[in-house]
């Protein structure tokens, strides 16, 4: 066994298959997308080289600009609402003495549910006639207070954001909670002896010590919201009137419905570059600090 571990070919045998899968399912599609982005192509006839025309078209495409704005709306909601809520709920659960494992499991349950199931579930809840939300509103308020949650351009995106948050927030709570519970009790006890109250403990001890995990959450949130697809595709398909259109759904429509694979590839490349730039900016602005207790 020791001889096998010392043999470099042992490590190569494990690394090569992983690198091969990564190259086939990630590197190759990215390269091909860049290549197709320079052509006008419907996937059937011969490709016609157009240079940077597809990328220049993005700047003048009103639908793409709206989709890009909706992606930033997704990201802003997640950063301003979801992450502070995650931190707050993690603090609350960490203070619970009994049934803590139950609460951790309860918040994580939506994460293991498929996005398609969550989208269908919330589609039923948002139904104007039979949805539970409107049924409850009709019980406690006038009937005209009921809303077309997914058909109203002013409410559709917010409705999707709530469904998306319900599914994904549990994953971040588990991450944040693990970091909070990993803080040595000696530090907290010493702070309490010095007269630190609950709010001061959270602000001066807990928050700085879980900062690396919060940074990971920021990265995951930015990259995830820039490539969000399935929940929007199932709940509204980008409607009504493109009020929930995001870059991924628009890319699918352009590439596989309009059969403009060259322009669709250009949209995919724009998404890739945008995610790369945003995550790079986050890494530059936020220094990774190794926490030492």
């Amino acid at each position: 066994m020791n001889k096998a571990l010392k043999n470099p070919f042992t490590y190569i045998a494990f690394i090569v298959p992983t690198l091969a899968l990564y190259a086939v399912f990630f590197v190759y599609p990215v390269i091909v997308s860049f290549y197709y982005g320079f052509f006008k192509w419907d996937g059937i006839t011969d490709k016609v080289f157009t240079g940077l025309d597809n990328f220049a078209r993005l700047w003048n495409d009103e639908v793409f600009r709206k989709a890009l704005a909706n992606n930033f709306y997704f990201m802003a909601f997640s950063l301003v609402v979801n992450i502070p809520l995650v931190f707050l709920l993690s603090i609350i659960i960490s203070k619970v003495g009994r049934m803590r494992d139950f609460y951790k499991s309860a918040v994580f349950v939506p994460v293991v549910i498929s996005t398609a199931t969550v989208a269908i579930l919330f589609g039923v809840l948002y139904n104007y006639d039979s949805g539970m939300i409107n049924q409850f509103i009709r019980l406690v308020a006038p009937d005209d207070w009921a809303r077309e949650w997914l058909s109203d351009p002013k409410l559709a995106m917010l409705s999707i954001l709530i469904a998306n948050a319900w599914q994904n927030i549990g994953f971040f709570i588990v991450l944040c909670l693990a970091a909070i519970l990993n803080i040595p009790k000696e530090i907290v006890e010493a702070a309490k002896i010095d007269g630190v109250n609950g709010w001061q403990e959270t602000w001066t001890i807990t928050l700085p010590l879980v900062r690396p995990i919060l940074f990971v959450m920021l990265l995951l949130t930015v990259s995830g919201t820039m490539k969000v697809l399935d929940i929007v595709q199932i709940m509204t398909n980008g409607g009504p009137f493109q009020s929930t259109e995001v870059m991924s759904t628009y890319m699918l429509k352009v590439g596989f419905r309009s059969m403009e694979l060259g322009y669709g590839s250009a949209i995919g490349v724009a998404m890739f570059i945008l995610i790369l730039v945003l995550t790079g900016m986050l890494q530059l602005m936020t220094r990774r600090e190794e926490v030492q207790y």
Side-chain angles (χ1 to χ4, degrees):
M1 183 65 180
N2 291 331
K3 290 183 178 179
L5 292 176
K6 292 179 180 178
N7 190 341
F9 291 103
T10 302
Y11 299 98
I12 294 174
F14 285 98
I15 293 173
V16 168
T18 304
L19 291 178
L21 290 173
Y22 182 77
V24 170
F25 292 104
F26 180 78
V27 177
Y28 176 72
V30 169
I31 295 174
V32 170
S33 295
F34 269 93
Y35 173 73
Y36 287 157
F38 295 102
F39 292 87
K40 182 179 181 181
W41 187 42
D42 60 4
I44 302 173
T45 59
D46 293 336
K47 298 186 288 293
V48 178
F49 182 76
T50 58
L52 296 174
D53 287 355
N54 285 328
F55 298 97
R57 179 180 168 186
L58 292 173
W59 298 106
N60 301 317
D61 190 337
E62 183 180 349
V63 180
F64 176 77
R65 293 201 303 268
K66 186 179 292 186
L68 178 61
N70 285 334
N71 275 105
F72 277 108
Y73 185 16
F74 242 97
M75 183 176 67
F77 183 89
S78 298
L79 294 178
V80 175
V81 178
N82 290 3
I83 290 183
L85 184 60
V86 164
F87 184 70
L88 176 62
L89 292 177
S90 300
I91 291 291
I92 293 173
I93 295 175
S94 68
K95 301 298 182 182
V96 174
R98 301 175 60 183
M99 300 181 65
R100 181 186 296 163
D101 291 337
F102 168 78
Y103 294 123
K104 285 196 294 184
S105 302
V107 297
F108 194 75
V109 166
V111 180
V112 301
I113 303 174
S114 69
T115 305
T117 303
V118 172
I120 294 172
L121 171 64
F122 273 85
V124 173
L125 291 175
Y126 288 137
N127 185 275
Y128 180 78
D129 296 314
S130 59
M132 187 179 297
I133 296 176
N134 279 340
Q135 293 284 10
F136 176 76
I137 290 175
R138 291 186 180 103
L139 284 176
V140 299
D143 185 72
D144 58 355
W145 284 27
R147 291 290 181 267
E148 292 276 6
W149 300 100
L150 296 179
S151 300
D152 187 341
K154 296 179 180 179
L155 298 174
M157 179 57 79
L158 179 60
S159 301
I160 293 176
L161 289 172
I162 293 172
N164 183 70
W166 180 83
Q167 182 187 19
N168 295 316
I169 201 171
F171 173 74
F172 293 113
I173 288 176
V174 170
L175 279 180
C176 190
L177 186 60
I180 293 173
L181 295 178
N182 196 43
I183 298 175
K185 295 181 179 179
E186 293 81 3
I187 296 178
V188 178
E189 292 173 355
K192 289 181 178 179
I193 292 174
D194 291 336
V196 172
N197 58 34
W199 167 251
Q200 291 172 331
E201 176 190 335
T202 300
W203 187 254
T204 61
I205 297 176
T206 305
L207 184 58
L209 293 181
V210 301
R211 190 179 302 163
I213 292 297
L214 293 178
F215 176 62
V216 172
M217 290 164 54
L218 286 175
L219 284 177
L220 293 175
T221 297
V222 169
S223 61
T225 53
M226 284 293 108
K227 59 185 180 183
V228 63
L229 167 65
D230 37 11
I231 195 165
V232 177
Q233 182 79 8
I234 296 171
M235 292 186 73
T236 62
N237 194 25
F241 308 111
Q242 296 157 343
S243 60
T244 62
E245 195 80 78
V246 291
M247 289 187 290
S248 296
T249 57
Y250 186 50
M251 177 182 66
L252 287 180
K253 290 175 182 177
V254 168
F256 296 101
R257 291 187 184 179
S258 302
M259 298 304 294
E260 297 183 74
L261 295 183
Y263 186 48
S265 296
I267 296 173
V269 170
M271 288 174 54
F272 175 78
I273 294 175
L274 184 60
I275 293 172
L276 207 62
V277 170
L278 289 175
T279 53
M281 289 173 58
L282 268 178
Q283 290 180 337
L284 288 176
M285 291 187 299
T286 311
R287 296 181 179 179
R288 283 182 175 269
E289 298 179 359
E290 183 178 348
V291 178
Q292 297 181 354
Y293 301 122

